[in-house]
Amino acid sequence: MSSREPETPAPSPSLRRSPLLFRSPIGNEAERAHFQRRLEMTLLAVVVLQATFCFVSLGTLLAGPIERERATTIQCAGHGVVASAALLAAFALRRRARSIDALDRFDAFATMLVAWLTIGFTALPPSGEGPHMVALQIVTYVNVLRAAFVPSTAVRTFVVASAALLPLLPVTMTLRTSGGPSGSLMAVWCALSAACVGAISWVVYGLGVHSSETSRIGQYVLDAKIGQGASGAVYRATHASLRRPAAVKLLTDVSPEAADRFEREVQLTARLRHPNTISIFDYGRTTDGFFYCAMEYLEGVDLHRLVEREGPQRPSRVVHFLVQICNALEEAHAAGLVHRDIKPSNVMLVPKLGVHDAIKVLDFGLVYVALGEEEATSRAVVGTPLFMAPEVILDPSRVDGRADLYSLGVTAYYLLTGRYPLEGASAVDVCIAQIYEEPEPPSSHVSGLPRSLERLLMTCLEKSPEDRPRSAAVLAAQLRACDVGPWLESEAQERWRGDSTDAAPRDTLPAAIVTT
């Protein structure tokens, strides 16, 4: 395992806000980065705009009257200078991330500089009414581009646009010629221009706020989708006031059966408090009628991916996993709940829960109430065939906690060998094999497996529930008694350190949790 030190990430730009009166609406790092990208896009659009006017002025110079040659030459050169300045500013933004305060100032000063240079090169040549109105037109175009691209409140846009247009008033009054606009008329035109771009920002910013509100479910703000299933999706989210990360599971299948099953899953899982079971924070229904639940956000890797990338696991590490899963199942079974879908992809390995290699059992979507109420779904064959106990296939009404122990035996077999004990060409073939075929012992696929662990694993895979361990607690005790040696915390730390992240990446919540 490599001892190379992991690279230190570059520090994020400061999110501190200066006490400016009219600030850009930026509240977090994602919005800051978005704001910087939009400023760069605006400057590049200004480059295209000024270059277009430069070519237009060049065409006028070549085809226009000689008496306007000097004024048109100055305007053409001015457009080229402004385009070059905007291009340099865009490259300066691209080179490194900047703080919100710096972007605030950059936004205002760049807009005003582009506008003032345009006015200086376009309106100053004393050629009558045209140059003043052309300058007003070009600066208005620049302000429109900024209002369309840059996230900004209407007030801030109005103030920046007014400051950009302000030099036109003294220029107009000082250089006015016959037939040109008066200072008062130019003031009206500038006010209307600033008001119009302010209205554009009001609409665009309002749409952005509405979009942000629609990405909020209850007290949770959705950040990004991290999983998708046939009838639901999981999003990384943040509690609006507590700022606590969470995973929000949203049911998009609104059929009554799916809604009932989803609500039942959440209510039953919420009863469980064991640290090896994923915690439910909240659940409810959105204004659109979709069910959702918020649960703890986990960073780690599920056991299926772990085996795919690392290969078969050491017996001591497997026993460490299995004991934790048994602890979670013991609480569920004591409450009369049977998981019915224990498999590697529904068990997550999390490196940051106080100890390394901590386990979280996920997805109680197929949970069965073994004691008390009789559910219609309990008579259906549900689960994953490769991990399904024979009684689940033959008579679902017989299902109790020992069905989960069978699935746990299959999970252990996969962790130790990288193979499934019984396979088939189709789901039906696998189900038939689960009922009638005897699996080969895992030692036929891997060497060095302790005999005590293998015997216990094969006991979990017995066809009859009566021949398996009586409970998850009994199985956990038998696992601890196996002569596999301890799995040390130092070994777990080494697994998660340095280049081992290639084998055990810190994935987000696995998609298995959205199979609602």
Side-chain angles (χ1 to χ4, degrees):
M1 191 169 298
S2 172
S3 60
R4 177 174 55 86
E5 291 292 329
E7 295 183 2
T8 302
S12 299
S14 172
L15 296 181
R16 181 183 59 83
R17 302 309 311 271
S18 61
L20 298 176
L21 181 58
F22 303 107
R23 300 181 302 187
S24 53
I26 306 173
N28 55 51
E29 169 58 23
E31 291 176 355
R32 186 213 61 78
H34 175 70
F35 185 49
Q36 182 164 342
R37 288 193 300 269
R38 287 306 185 94
L39 279 178
E40 182 184 339
M41 292 171 59
T42 302
L43 289 168
L44 293 176
V46 168
V47 171
V48 175
L49 176 69
Q50 294 288 346
T52 301
F53 278 108
C54 181
F55 285 118
V56 171
S57 298
L58 184 60
T60 303
L61 177 64
L62 297 176
I66 297 178
E67 59 270 17
R68 295 195 56 186
E69 181 176 344
R70 177 173 174 271
T72 305
T73 301
I74 295 175
Q75 292 176 11
C76 183
H79 292 312
V81 169
V82 176
S84 300
L87 187 60
L88 289 175
F91 280 128
L93 273 182
R94 177 170 292 189
R95 290 188 62 182
R96 65 182 178 89
R98 300 177 184 272
S99 69
I100 296 180
D101 285 343
L103 293 176
D104 263 334
R105 294 189 292 268
F106 199 101
D107 172 34
F109 294 154
T111 303
M112 288 188 286
L113 179 62
V114 167
W116 294 351
L117 286 175
T118 300
I119 292 171
F121 283 106
T122 305
L124 284 180
S127 302
E129 178 181 3
H132 305 78
M133 299 305 293
V134 169
L136 173 63
Q137 180 186 27
I138 297 174
V139 174
T140 299
Y141 286 159
V142 172
N143 285 331
V144 167
L145 286 173
R146 180 195 170 277
F149 282 109
V150 178
S152 176
T153 61
V155 173
R156 178 178 170 84
T157 295
F158 178 81
V159 171
V160 172
S162 298
L165 290 164
L166 187 61
L168 268 177
L169 300 181
V171 168
T172 300
M173 291 185 289
T174 303
L175 301 177
R176 183 189 174 200
T177 56
S178 60
S182 64
S184 58
L185 182 59
M186 180 57 72
V188 171
W189 280 111
C190 289
L192 287 175
S193 173
C196 287
V197 296
I200 293 174
S201 272
W202 178 71
V203 173
V204 173
Y205 178 65
L207 290 173
V209 170
H210 176 71
S211 174
S212 176
E213 289 174 349
T214 57
S215 66
R216 180 191 293 256
I217 293 180
Q219 292 296 312
Y220 295 89
V221 178
L222 305 186
D223 298 326
K225 182 185 288 188
I226 56 177
Q228 178 68 54
S231 58
V234 174
Y235 296 85
R236 185 179 65 247
T238 305
H239 192 280
S241 56
L242 299 179
R243 310 306 299 170
R244 177 178 64 182
V248 172
K249 184 175 181 179
L250 180 65
L251 181 70
T252 54
D253 182 355
V254 293
S255 65
E257 296 81 7
D260 289 345
R261 177 178 156 193
F262 182 81
E263 186 171 16
R264 178 167 160 270
E265 170 198 352
V266 174
Q267 291 174 342
L268 295 175
T269 308
R271 300 182 192 176
L272 307 178
R273 295 290 185 270
H274 196 277
N276 292 123
T277 301
I278 191 167
S279 298
I280 301 294
F281 296 151
D282 188 17
Y283 90 100
R285 189 191 292 261
T286 69
T287 55
D288 297 328
F290 298 123
F291 277 104
Y292 74 90
C293 76
M295 65 197 85
E296 63 179 318
Y297 177 75
L298 303 175
E299 291 184 346
V301 60
D302 68 63
L303 297 187
H304 179 78
R305 296 178 188 175
L306 180 74
V307 173
E308 280 188 335
R309 295 169 185 178
E310 283 192 1
Q313 299 295 297
R314 286 175 52 182
S316 58
R317 195 184 196 193
V318 172
V319 168
H320 177 71
F321 296 160
L322 297 178
V323 169
Q324 294 181 74
I325 300 172
C326 284
N327 293 338
L329 290 177
E330 175 62 19
E331 182 199 29
H333 296 169
L337 307 179
V338 182
H339 189 288
R340 291 206 296 182
D341 202 22
I342 293 294
K343 58 185 178 182
S345 59
N346 275 345
V347 180
M348 195 153 186
L349 182 61
V350 185
K352 297 179 180 179
L353 289 179
V355 295
H356 291 75
D357 276 0
I359 287 294
K360 284 284 186 177
V361 178
L362 314 175
D363 201 355
F364 281 74
L366 302 181
V367 71
Y368 164 61
V369 182
L371 303 177
E373 33 189 304
E374 187 76 19
E375 300 282 348
T377 54
S378 69
R379 300 187 180 279
V381 177
V382 291
T384 305
L386 287 169
F387 299 86
M388 198 177 291
E391 65 270 23
V392 175
I393 303 168
L394 294 172
D395 186 4
S397 64
R398 291 180 56 203
V399 167
D400 61 18
R402 291 170 295 183
D404 284 343
L405 301 188
Y406 183 94
S407 301
L408 187 57
V410 180
T411 298
Y413 196 106
Y414 176 78
L415 292 174
L416 291 167
T417 67
R419 302 166 60 99
Y420 303 109
L422 297 169
E423 300 183 64
S426 66
V428 174
D429 292 340
V430 174
C431 289
I432 294 173
Q434 297 284 23
I435 298 170
Y436 298 109
E437 294 182 17
E438 293 295 333
E440 295 180 349
S443 58
S444 61
H445 305 295
V446 293
S447 59
L449 190 65
R451 295 292 300 169
S452 58
L453 178 59
E454 182 175 60
R455 285 195 301 269
L456 182 56
L457 187 155
M458 296 303 292
T459 302
C460 292
L461 297 178
E462 290 289 346
K463 303 299 181 184
S464 172
E466 288 74 19
D467 295 331
R468 301 174 201 149
R470 294 194 309 274
S471 68
V474 170
L475 177 58
Q478 293 173 336
L479 285 166
R480 294 189 188 97
C482 290
D483 55 343
V484 297
W487 176 250
L488 302 177
E489 175 68 9
S490 58
E491 295 179 278
Q493 290 178 1
E494 188 66 22
R495 285 282 188 167
W496 290 96
R497 185 181 297 128
D499 290 344
S500 66
T501 54
D502 292 334
R506 289 160 176 76
D507 293 344
T508 53
L509 205 62
I513 198 170
V514 302
T515 55
T516 57

